[in-house]
Amino acid sequence: LAQSAARQTRVGIPAMAPAMKRPAARMSRIGAAQEPVLKKPAAASGPSGHVKNLCSQIAGAIRASPEYPDEVKHMLANTLTRTLAEPKEKRHAIQDSVIDMVRQVMESLKAAAQSKLDEAETKLETVYRELAQGQKSIETAAATLEERIKTVDIAKSEHAKSTSARMAAKQALASAEQEQTTGNAGLAVAEEKKRRLETSLETIYGPIKSGEMPAAEAQDGIKKIEKLGKDLGFDASLLQTVPAAFAKAPSDRGSFDDLVMSQIEAELKKCLATLTDELANGEPAMKDRAAKVEAASTEYAQASASEDAAKTAKEASRTAQKEAE
């Protein structure tokens, strides 16, 4: 009753006599209404599945760390659900210390990963740079090869031109030499006749006329005069008188013999003059033909030298092309 009276006093209801049971019952209900209602405590929920998943990932990273002993790594990994998973406001100082240890491990892992990443990026940059340099080298080599192929084509063309020029120069030289041979043929005959005629006048006719030729040689000399006169186209009847007149000594010759001697001499000198004029008239043309041959010969020599140089250049360009391939 005293407790009931006290509760009534707290809620502001005046105390009633103990005999009044109904009011007491009412006051009990009022007092009961003022007391706090005790609720059933909620069951502990623990960390969420997402948090557990994150802790599991962190634990895996810690266990994979190569810098710490296995005992340390297992200790830290096994405490994550009871340290890092706890809300920050509920953590104890020791839990925070453990979390700092975990943070240290993770930062070391991050630093190691960053170091590997930097190293990989450096290697990648090196590879890219080498690839770029290689591509540039390939492009340079391709350009060089293309240029050398063009050089080879030009060298081939120049060699073909020089070969054609040499062949043309050779043909021109052959033509000039043929023209010289043909043009000089008549003059060569005339020159030979003139030489033979001059020799006969000096060594045969002169000694026979003067009687200085020995009798043993006279007959051979007379035959040579007859042959020479025949080759020069002397009159046949005149040549028939030569043996008898030329065989006599000067003191034994008559007027007819002297006439034969003088006519033969006149014919010989006449032929000599004719041949001399022929050679003199043909000399300019002969010199012109000789000049043409000399010019053609010089041109041929130059063309041959040009061909040799072009051939050397072509071979050098081919070698350079092979080196560039």
Side-chain angles (χ1 to χ4, degrees), residues 285-303:
M286 183 175 65
K287 289 182 178 180
D288 183 59
R289 287 187 292 270
K292 288 182 179 180
V293 169
E294 184 178 359
S297 179
T298 300
E299 185 175 353
Y300 175 69
Q302 292 175 348

Side-chain angles (χ1 to χ4, degrees), residues 26-266:
R26 182 169 57 85
M27 286 188 292
S28 296
R29 287 194 301 270
I30 294 174
Q34 295 299 322
E35 288 181 352
V37 178
L38 297 177
K39 295 182 179 179
K40 185 178 180 180
S45 60
S48 65
H50 178 64
V51 172
K52 288 182 178 180
N53 184 40
L54 293 177
C55 289
S56 178
Q57 294 180 24
I58 295 173
I62 291 174
R63 290 189 180 97
S65 174
E67 299 182 17
Y68 298 92
D70 291 340
E71 295 80 1
V72 175
K73 292 187 289 186
H74 290 316
M75 179 194 73
L76 294 177
N78 292 334
T79 62
L80 293 177
T81 56
R82 293 186 297 276
T83 54
L84 189 60
E86 286 293 323
K88 186 175 182 180
E89 64 274 7
K90 292 183 178 182
R91 295 173 187 165
H92 190 274
I94 294 177
Q95 290 175 310
D96 288 335
S97 298
V98 174
I99 292 173
D100 287 338
M101 296 178 189
V102 172
R103 182 180 295 108
Q104 182 180 354
V105 173
M106 297 304 293
E107 287 179 352
S108 67
L109 290 174
K110 179 182 178 181
Q114 185 64 46
S115 177
K116 291 182 178 180
L117 178 61
D118 293 342
E119 183 180 356
E121 288 180 346
T122 301
K123 290 182 178 179
L124 184 60
E125 290 176 358
T126 301
V127 170
Y128 281 152
R129 184 167 56 253
E130 291 176 351
L131 287 175
Q133 292 175 349
Q135 183 63 31
K136 184 177 180 181
S137 298
I138 291 173
E139 293 174 355
T140 301
T144 300
L145 177 59
E146 182 180 1
E147 184 64 26
R148 292 185 179 181
I149 289 175
K150 291 180 180 178
T151 302
V152 169
D153 292 338
I154 293 174
K156 286 181 179 178
S157 177
E158 291 299 322
H159 182 235
K161 290 180 181 178
S162 62
T163 299
S164 297
R166 179 190 60 78
M167 293 176 65
K170 182 179 181 181
Q171 183 62 35
L173 176 60
S175 178
E177 289 175 341
Q178 181 62 36
E179 181 181 352
Q180 182 185 43
T181 300
T182 303
N184 292 351
L187 295 176
V189 172
E191 180 66 29
E192 175 59 24
K193 287 181 178 181
K194 180 174 179 291
R195 182 196 63 77
R196 182 182 172 193
L197 181 56
E198 290 174 337
T199 301
S200 297
L201 281 170
E202 182 179 355
T203 62
I204 299 175
Y205 176 77
I208 289 177
K209 180 182 178 181
S210 64
E212 296 176 356
M213 179 174 288
E217 298 176 5
Q219 290 300 318
D220 183 62
I222 293 171
K223 290 179 180 180
K224 289 180 179 179
I225 292 295
E226 288 181 297
K227 179 67 171 58
L228 178 60
K230 186 177 180 180
D231 292 341
L232 295 174
F234 289 5
D235 184 73
S237 59
L238 177 61
L239 292 176
Q240 290 177 356
T241 63
V242 169
F246 277 53
K248 295 178 181 178
S251 58
D252 296 334
R253 295 171 191 159
S255 58
F256 180 76
D257 297 326
D258 291 336
L259 178 62
V260 171
M261 295 288 292
S262 62
Q263 287 183 346
I264 289 296
E265 183 177 352

